[in-house]
């Protein structure tokens, strides 16, 4: 995903890897990389696909099981999966006729770390926050 290396925990005097948005401003390259990942997640179909892949027992799912869940053509589903793969969120493996997809937890873990407030930071509730 990013060429930026994470610091090994406990070796730099900080509490975590890949500083969050609330601790250090993003540099231009990191912001560009993250924007691509967030853009991939910004589409409801792709978000549902990622959720379906991530929540699947066994850790992987065949594209043949994903397509029927949507009122979209198979090429459209494949396009969305391609964008998720390009963003580094999923990986795939072809087995005969079918392609199987699996989550790349390293990427979602990095996103979670970036968005997490540092320990001891005051909680603030911005007006209009919806999740």
């Amino acid at each position: 995903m990013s060429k930026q290396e994470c610091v090994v925990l406990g070796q730099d005097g900080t509490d975590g890897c890949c500083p969050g948005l609330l601790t250090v401003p993003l540099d231009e390259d990191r912001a560009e990389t993250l924007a691509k990942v967030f853009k991939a997640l910004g589409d409801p179909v792709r978000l549902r696909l990622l959720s379906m892949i991530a929540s699947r027992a066994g850790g992987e799912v065949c594209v043949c099981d994903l397509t029927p869940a949507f009122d979209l053509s198979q090429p459209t589903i494949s396009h969305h999966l391609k964008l998720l793969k390009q963003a580094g969120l999923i990986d795939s493996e072809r087995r005969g006729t079918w392609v199987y997809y699996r989550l790349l937890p390293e990427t979602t873990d990095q996103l979670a770390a970036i968005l997490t407030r540092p320990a001891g930071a005051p909680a603030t509730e911005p007006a209009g926050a919806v999740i």
Side-chain angles (χ1 to χ4, degrees):
M1 189 175 132
S2 171
K3 294 178 186 174
Q4 181 179 356
E5 293 292 323
C6 289
V7 178
V8 177
L9 295 177
Q11 291 188 356
D12 69 340
T14 63
D15 293 322
C17 176
C18 302
L21 294 173
L22 301 176
T23 57
V24 178
L26 294 174
D27 64 32
E28 187 175 337
D29 289 339
R30 186 76 173 140
E32 219 171 280
T33 300
L34 283 171
K36 290 176 185 174
V37 177
F38 284 119
K39 185 175 182 179
L41 292 172
D43 182 272
V45 171
R46 289 192 290 270
L47 196 53
R48 282 188 60 211
L49 284 166
L50 185 70
S51 175
M52 291 172 72
I53 294 166
S55 64
R56 185 63 159 224
E60 63 182 14
V61 62
C62 178
V63 69
C64 62
D65 295 324
L66 295 170
T67 305
F70 298 89
D71 190 24
L72 298 169
S73 68
Q74 184 277 323
T76 300
I77 296 297
S78 291
H79 173 73
H80 285 295
L81 290 165
K82 176 182 152 187
L83 294 176
L84 289 170
K85 188 172 178 178
Q86 287 174 342
L89 291 160
I90 60 173
D91 200 5
S92 64
E93 179 183 343
R94 179 172 289 284
R95 297 181 197 156
T97 305
W98 301 110
V99 178
Y100 289 78
Y101 291 91
R102 67 185 166 281
L103 178 73
L104 292 176
E106 310 84 43
T107 304
T108 54
D109 290 349
Q110 284 181 10
L111 291 176
I114 286 166
L115 295 173
T116 301
R117 283 182 296 114
T124 58
E125 292 278 336
V130 177
I131 290 197

